Structure formats: structure tokens, C-alpha cells
Amino acid sequence: MSKSNSHADEPTIIADTNLSRAWARLFLQIFDSRRTELSPLTLSLTGFDADGGVAETAGVRESLDRTLKLKHKISIETVAFTIFPDRLWKIARGDRSRLFSLYAGAFPRYVAMNRAANGRGLYFERMTNFSKAVPSDGNQLEFILSRYNERAGVRDTMLQVAIFDPARDHIKTARLGFPCLQHLSFVPTKEGLVVNAFYATQYVFDKAYGNYLGLVRLGAFMAHEMDIPLARLNVTVGVAKLDGVKKSDASLAPLIAAARAAVAPTVSAKVPRPSVTARGASA
């Protein structure tokens, strides 16, 4: 007998141009079912602006953040920051070397701020300081960008980033909060940069929105440094779990309402046809 609660289902595919709506579709698909998870999931975002920004719906994001705070969970921005430190990138003013330096200097403080959650590392730290045995002094992003920019043709298999490290992460702990994100790949195409991310598991209520936002920002950074637009983000999840909250929790009502409003089909208002007067008809 299997020890798992997962099912061998057909893949769930969610494609959208709005991050909030994509998350709402995922959340409601689990919430409205008899289960607490989807397996497997592929979520794909497109429609980014010239700076790699993604459309969001304020009602969904604000309602989710309020609910996360109520449940003593970390905010969407905090989750996104673990994947890409957007505010440090703004401080660096387009200088990626300074970004990497700022992050390396601040990383010990990030760990100290929440050692229980961050003691095993953070995603951007794994990307930029994986191991001294890795080229570019462990900075996988710098290795990719340097190789990409130094010559015309680069094999796609070079543009990969490892997060999961068997030496550190194959341990006997029953539940491991980090890393859920396992691997990333970057694929330059004629339309722009495609970012692919793989999660073994993803916590839909606690982390997924922030995960997607952080990945979009990481993709925008990589696309900027590669001098191409961000075209698509694909996130593949082995098991997407509605974890950290119960469906029967009454405090979810405002979030559920905001999610349903976001996914409701828009009905175009009918423009009434102008009436034809007798004078108009004879003209």
C-alpha cells in the first residue's frame, strides 16, 4: 500500500496572462474539489510588459496578503524575495555585480532574521553561491550570463541552475521546508526568454503566489542581462498542496470571494443600437 495521498491524475494545465488570476484558478480548483492537492501541475504565464512585469489583480493579492498575515504566514513579497531580491536590484541600478555583492553581504542577516526558516539557505543564495566547486565561484547565474554574452551560440543545456543539492538535502527529516524549488532552466527563443522552474512540492496557500512573483522577477532580470524580452514562465509542480489552512476556515471567505471575482468571465456590455427616426429613415 502506498504511503502517499497523491493520485496518478492527468496533468492540470493553467495558462494565463495575469498572475493573480492564474493563482486564483489554481487555488479554486483545489478548494472546490474533494482533495487538498493537485498532481501534477503546469502553470504558464505570458503577456509580460517591456520590463518583464506581469499583470496582477489588486483584490486577489491584497486579500491573500491579509489572510496570510492573519494566519501568521510570511507575505507574498517576502516569499518572492527569497527567489529574487528585487529591491537590491533596484539599489544596484542595473549593475549585476553590485547586486551579487549586496546580496552576499546581506545574506547572513537574512538567515539571522529567521533562522528556523532560513537556516538551510535561500533560493537566490543557492543560485549565486551553490558551491565553490561550481564555476564562477558558485554563482550559477553569473556563469550562465557570462557564457551567453561572450559568444553567439550557447547550448541550451548550459543555461541551467540547480537548487536541490543531494549532499545537503537528502536527509531523514520527515518534513523539509526548503528547498521546494528544485531546478531552473532558461531557454532563449525567437520570441524572448522562456524560464522553466520545477518544484517537487508547492504550497499553494502559503507560498505559490510569492513563488510565481519571484520567478517572474528572476526571469525579468535574466532577460534584461541577456538583452532579450521575457516571453514565458513555465512552472511544473509534482504535487501542489493546499497546505497550512483548512477549507472549512471561515476567515477564507474574503479571499475566496476575491478569487472567484478574478476568474469570473467578463461580460461585454451590449451597446444599444441607435433607434432610427422617421426623419432619419427618409434622409
Side-chain angles (χ1 to χ4, degrees):
M1 179 179 292
S2 172
K3 296 181 180 180
S4 173
N5 293 321
S6 301
H7 298 265
D9 294 328
E10 291 290 322
T12 296
I13 300 174
I14 296 174
D16 215 309
T17 57
N18 181 296
L19 190 160
S20 305
R21 188 170 57 220
W23 179 87
R25 290 169 61 187
L26 169 60
F27 176 77
L28 290 173
Q29 187 157 341
I30 300 177
F31 184 85
D32 291 337
S33 73
R34 295 183 179 181
R35 301 180 185 175
T36 57
E37 61 183 43
L38 288 175
S39 178
L41 163 73
T42 295
L43 186 143
S44 188
L45 289 172
T46 53
F48 306 103
D49 64 24
D51 296 320
V54 65
E56 296 183 73
T57 302
V60 173
R61 178 164 174 172
E62 291 168 2
S63 184
L64 176 57
D65 254 337
R66 284 194 297 268
T67 310
L68 288 169
K69 185 175 181 180
L70 181 67
K71 298 300 177 185
H72 307 289
K73 308 288 186 180
I74 60 178
S75 70
I76 290 169
E77 277 294 337
T78 301
V79 173
F81 188 88
T82 66
I83 295 174
F84 185 75
D86 192 57
R87 61 180 177 269
L88 294 186
W89 179 228
K90 289 181 171 67
I91 293 171
R93 296 180 178 273
D95 182 341
R96 75 170 184 261
S97 295
R98 184 155 188 252
L99 167 66
F100 297 145
S101 178
L102 287 169
Y103 187 84
F107 177 71
R109 296 199 301 275
Y110 300 149
V111 173
M113 287 166 61
N114 190 345
R115 194 165 294 277
N118 302 337
R120 304 194 69 256
L122 293 170
Y123 292 114
F124 195 72
E125 192 265 340
R126 289 272 178 113
M127 295 180 210
T128 57
N129 188 30
F130 188 83
S131 165
K132 299 305 179 186
V134 173
S136 298
D137 204 26
N139 190 332
Q140 301 177 81
L141 300 183
E142 179 58 37
F143 175 80
I144 287 172
L145 293 171
S146 296
R147 299 295 82 73
Y148 178 83
N149 291 324
E150 73 183 5
R151 61 179 187 263
V154 176
R155 56 181 169 81
D156 289 343
T157 54
M158 186 181 290
L159 310 183
Q160 301 184 64
V161 170
I163 305 295
F164 182 84
D165 180 3
R168 288 179 278 182
D169 302 324
H170 269 322
I171 58 178
K172 296 180 180 180
T173 305
R175 175 168 174 150
L176 202 60
F178 175 90
C180 294
L181 173 61
Q182 308 288 296
H183 196 83
L184 292 154
S185 73
F186 302 94
V187 184
T189 71
K190 292 180 179 179
E191 293 75 28
L193 183 65
V194 175
V195 181
N196 300 299
F198 174 72
Y199 284 77
T201 60
Q202 187 173 65
Y203 301 116
V204 174
F205 172 71
D206 289 19
K207 301 286 183 66
Y209 197 114
N211 292 159
Y212 304 146
L213 183 61
L215 288 167
V216 167
R217 290 173 175 173
L218 174 65
F221 163 73
M222 294 296 284
H224 176 273
E225 294 301 287
M226 297 165 84
D227 198 26
I228 56 177
L230 178 61
R232 183 179 291 272
L233 167 66
N234 298 313
V235 184
T236 299
V237 182
V239 184
K241 298 174 176 284
L242 186 64
D243 203 56
V245 69
K246 294 183 178 180
K247 292 184 180 183
S248 58
D249 192 329
S251 68
L252 289 178
L255 175 60
I256 295 165
R260 294 202 190 285
V263 304
T266 55
V267 180
S268 300
K270 291 184 178 180
V271 179
R273 296 178 64 182
S275 57
V276 180
T277 62
R279 180 177 177 180
S282 60

